Amino acid sequence: MARSRGIGHGTERYFLLEFETVARGHHVYKKVWKPVVGEKLPCKHDTREEAKLYDDYAIGIYNSDGTLLVGHLPIELSFLLCKFLSRSGCSLEFSPTGPRVLEDGLVVPGTYSAMTKSKSVIQVLKSELDKKSHTLSHMKINVRNVKNMNKIYF
């Protein structure tokens, strides 16, 4: 049996860190977005002037095509994750795990997935998130173990 390997095929190694907490600000965005369990939503630095009034390091959560702001990462984590996202090859996604709930405003529980090619960067992120999970008693952060992943591209 003959095997062929097409041009452009390959794999890249990534490191994945998942942590569970909430997306905030849903009371503002509830008219434009309804949480869907398992949906993968990109996160990026929110550079709008309105966001900078509250947090220079705000991380926005956007709809699946990345065009509409639907929430924010908690401010307690924004500086750390903004610095992470500023590094080349780093990305962050949010995936809802349940319906919205009332806390300090409407929040959406979910899992954030941080991905990078750098093992040292993901280890530092895990260490810092672990520290925050112990020092931020007013919010729940559940940090999982780092996973190795291979991304296959064609």
Side-chain angles (χ1 to χ4, degrees), residues 59-80:
I59 301 295
I61 302 167
Y62 294 81
N63 64 346
S64 56
D65 66 6
T67 59
L68 184 65
L69 184 64
V70 298
H72 282 93
L73 176 88
I75 194 170
E76 297 88 345
L77 304 176
S78 64
F79 178 79
L80 175 63

Side-chain angles (χ1 to χ4, degrees), residues 132-146:
K132 287 191 178 288
S133 73
H134 296 297
T135 59
L136 297 173
S137 58
H138 67 283
M139 67 183 285
K140 181 183 175 196
I141 306 171
N142 180 21
V143 183
R144 299 180 187 164
N145 289 325
V146 173

Side-chain angles (χ1 to χ4, degrees), residues 80-136:
L80 175 63
L81 273 299
C82 189
K83 293 301 180 187
F84 171 78
L85 287 173
S86 71
R87 299 185 63 96
S88 177
C90 293
S91 64
L92 183 67
E93 283 183 339
F94 175 75
S95 183
T97 57
R100 59 186 177 220
V101 294
L102 185 60
E103 286 183 4
D104 290 336
L106 282 176
V107 298
V108 178
T111 299
Y112 290 87
S113 300
M115 200 159 59
T116 180
K117 293 180 184 179
S118 171
K119 186 175 184 178
S120 61
V121 168
I122 208 77
Q123 288 174 331
V124 168
L125 180 61
K126 181 178 182 345
S127 173
E128 293 300 317
L129 284 170
D130 280 336
K131 287 178 196 173
K132 287 191 178 288
S133 73
H134 296 297
T135 59
L136 297 173

Side-chain angles (χ1 to χ4, degrees), residues 16 21 33-35 52 66 68 154:
L16 174 71
T21 192
W33 175 70
K34 183 178 178 182
K52 289 181 181 181
L68 184 65
F154 297 94

